[in-house]
Amino acid sequence: MSYSLNITVLVGNGFDLSAGLETSTTRFMSTFAEARSDDDGPVGRLARRVIEDKPDKWADFEKKLGEYTSELESSEEDCVSAALDCKETIDDALFKFIASEDERIAQEFIKANSTEVFESLAGWFDSLQPREQAALTGDYSLPYSLDVRFVTFNYTSLLPRLYKEYGEDKHPIASGTGHITELRLTGLTQAHSSLDRDLVCGVNDVSQIASKALAADTNVATTFVKGEIQKAFGSIDDSQAVDAINSAHVLIIFGLSLGETDARWWTKVVNFLKASSSRRVIIASTQATRTHRNIVKLQRFSTDLKKKLLLQGGANEGELRALSSRIYIIPSSSILRFKETLPKQ
């Protein structure tokens, strides 16, 4: 008899990149800056600031967008209008950039990869260290039947289309060690919306809007702060994502940079851990294999990564040790694998 284990996977841009989509922050920044850097006015200055700062993660770019408001306050007579112009331009440019990449995803690619992507999820348990496996099986006895929900922070149709192709029937897992006997997909939420709706791009809260005058303006807060954007769109994505997190036994974080502009989600992850000593968080990291053979590098890397997640999520110094013991790190290459990648343009 298998133990029914609820898994929720938080998915970021690393997933789309691993498929061969060219959705990196640096590529978007380059595209945006090249198109607008010669413009007069606040949008052109923002583009030139992007060229100068070179943010390489989406969260870093979103943070810079909030910081740029301090310059607008000091340089623009109507700083509110200037801020809204900048945000409108960014949102339009982001939609066109993502939509262009999304068009590259052929249905043949979806059909060829859906089974491999989802059934490779069964590899998460065998990627744990033996002591981590023993601790987990002390709470949930082997073998496992997985019920898997997804919360994706990506705008593309890649994961939803793979999900639809694989379907929500139970799938037996024939390969591997037998620790995972079957897998069923039970839900998917696009936390920051999608191309067929309105994209949610911005800062975590008003404290990340550097201009106090702009932070106090309702129109700016509504268009710059992610939670406020979702309220304006009448979105229920937040509540669905929170339910997916809270209903899990194990959370897996894949392809996310743990940035400050998503701190509200890391708070929910930390609260998830605090709610029960049997809960676990697994971070799938591209750096895990590079540090594995050197104990000093491994210790520094794992300590820093766990601490970053916990502090971003509001854990205090006294909670770090206990909560860290239930955060495990595995190589990202061990799960959500593609059989093939999209050809480069």
Side-chain angles (χ1 to χ4, degrees), residues 228-246:
E228 298 303 314
I229 297 169
Q230 289 178 314
K231 288 179 187 176
F233 287 145
S235 169
I236 60 170
D237 294 332
D238 267 14
S239 60
Q240 290 179 339
V242 170
D243 180 66
I245 291 171
N246 291 337

Side-chain angles (χ1 to χ4, degrees), residues 101 154 205 209:
E101 280 301 297
N154 298 335
D205 53 63
I209 299 175

Side-chain angles (χ1 to χ4, degrees), residues 24-76:
S24 69
T25 314
T26 51
R27 186 165 177 265
F28 170 64
M29 294 295 95
S30 175
T31 302
F32 169 72
E34 286 175 7
R36 304 306 298 248
S37 62
D38 292 335
D39 292 3
D40 293 327
V43 175
R45 285 195 292 275
L46 172 60
R48 292 188 287 276
R49 174 76 176 270
V50 163
I51 294 172
E52 181 181 334
D53 290 345
K54 297 184 172 122
D56 63 355
K57 295 182 178 66
W58 284 110
D60 293 338
F61 163 65
E62 290 173 327
K63 185 180 177 184
K64 292 293 182 186
L65 194 58
E67 292 173 355
Y68 181 64
T69 60
S70 64
E71 294 184 24
L72 295 178
E73 181 182 356
S74 62
S75 64
E76 298 296 322

